Amino acid sequence: MGFENWIDRQIREATERGEFSNLPGEGKPVDLGRPGDDEWWIRRKLEKEDLRGAMPTSLALRREKQDIQQTLADVRGIEAAREIIADLNDRIRDANVRQTERVPIFTRELDVEEVLAEWMRRRGLS
């Protein structure tokens, strides 16, 4: 065997001791995200760790908007549902006005009646 530097020796010895055996994902290809997506690892970490608080405000609001029916799933009354939607719309309006991110990202407000109609349909009330 030729020259072995310190790092290579450490890796070889750890492998011989079995320290790299039975790790999650062993024998599977490494998922490096979509081609051209340089920030794939950030998105994966946010999803895996549910780090919504670490998201920029505009993206967090978009996620909240996307999940509105899930948020409303356990809400009993139409007025409570309407208040939740109105609160989200208020925060969207505020974020659109303040625009604290480097690149402005505007989020369209929810159509209250449209969201309520879908909520009622899902509950079997329409």
Side-chain angles (χ1 to χ4, degrees):
M1 188 172 192
F3 176 75
E4 180 179 54
N5 66 31
W6 183 81
I7 294 172
D8 290 333
R9 190 179 90 229
Q10 296 297 315
I11 293 171
R12 181 182 51 75
E13 289 174 358
T15 301
E16 289 171 358
R17 288 190 303 269
E19 292 182 24
F20 298 123
S21 299
N22 301 318
L23 292 174
E26 181 181 17
K28 297 178 185 171
V30 177
D31 182 6
L32 298 177
R34 297 183 305 266
D37 183 6
D38 296 336
E39 297 176 349
W40 64 270
W41 60 276
I42 295 172
R43 286 184 240 299
R44 175 132 341 110
K45 184 73 171 171
L46 288 171
E47 290 170 10
K48 184 178 177 184
E49 303 294 330
D50 194 23
L51 299 174
R52 294 178 193 189
M55 291 176 128
T57 304
S58 56
L59 294 180
L61 289 170
R62 284 178 176 219
R63 170 73 57 90
E64 228 178 302
K65 183 179 170 182
Q66 174 186 325
D67 297 340
I68 191 66
Q69 290 301 330
Q70 197 174 0
T71 302
L72 297 175
D74 295 329
V75 174
R76 296 279 181 223
I78 195 164
E79 287 309 312
R82 191 179 296 276
E83 285 177 25
I84 291 170
I85 299 165
D87 175 64
L88 179 54
N89 277 341
D90 288 344
R91 289 184 288 125
I92 289 172
R93 245 186 323 277
D94 184 55
N96 285 342
V97 169
R98 284 188 294 115
Q99 280 305 313
T100 58
E101 283 98 23
R102 264 184 25 202
V103 177
I105 300 174
F106 294 95
T107 305
R108 180 174 286 144
E109 294 177 39
L110 291 163
D111 180 321
V112 177
E113 298 309 318
E114 184 180 304
V115 174
L116 286 174
E118 175 62 18
W119 173 74
M120 291 172 66
R121 186 191 67 71
R122 288 175 179 234
R123 295 181 60 92
L125 300 173
S126 57

